[in-house]
Amino acid sequence: MPSFKSVAYEILKEAKKPLHSKEITEIALERRLIKTSGKTPEVTMYAQLIRDINSNKGNSLFVKIGPSLFALNKKVKAKNESVKIHTKR
């Protein structure tokens, strides 16, 4: 199962716009890209993205642009974070 971060990366890349962490989580759950037994997966998604931003500073794949609003960091190219996600449309 892909990580929350790799799924968030692919969802944001596909969306081509910033998304709220709750919206990222809803898309991921709807497409069955992540599994969680927790009651608040959107909190986990938010925490994972914030942890990545704080740990990697300007080298994070993500930027926080508003309250719980995330976008891809255009200054950083993904290396191993990207996962292939096949969706039914």
Side-chain angles (χ1 to χ4, degrees):
M1 186 65 44
S3 71
F4 275 65
K5 288 189 311 183
S6 61
V7 169
Y9 175 81
E10 290 299 324
I11 290 171
L12 286 168
K13 188 168 96 173
E14 182 182 297
K16 298 180 182 167
K17 65 178 184 175
L19 296 173
H20 192 279
S21 56
K22 185 173 182 175
E23 188 174 5
I24 296 168
T25 307
E26 287 171 354
I27 292 167
L29 289 170
E30 193 175 277
R31 295 181 184 175
R32 295 187 175 124
L33 301 173
I34 56 174
K35 279 188 179 179
T36 181
S37 58
K39 292 184 180 182
T40 55
E42 65 276 2
V43 174
T44 302
M45 180 65 75
Y46 175 85
Q48 291 290 314
L49 298 179
I50 287 296
R51 183 177 301 131
D52 189 75
I53 291 168
N54 290 339
S55 296
N56 296 306
K57 307 292 182 205
N59 293 320
S60 173
L61 292 172
F62 310 99
V63 290
K64 185 178 178 205
I65 60 171
S68 297
L69 193 61
F70 295 91
L72 293 180
N73 185 351
K74 294 179 182 179
K75 297 177 185 175
V76 176
K77 295 279 184 192
K79 292 179 185 168
N80 295 327
E81 286 297 323
S82 182
V83 294
K84 297 287 183 196
I85 298 175
H86 301 283
T87 57
K88 294 179 182 176
R89 297 219 174 200

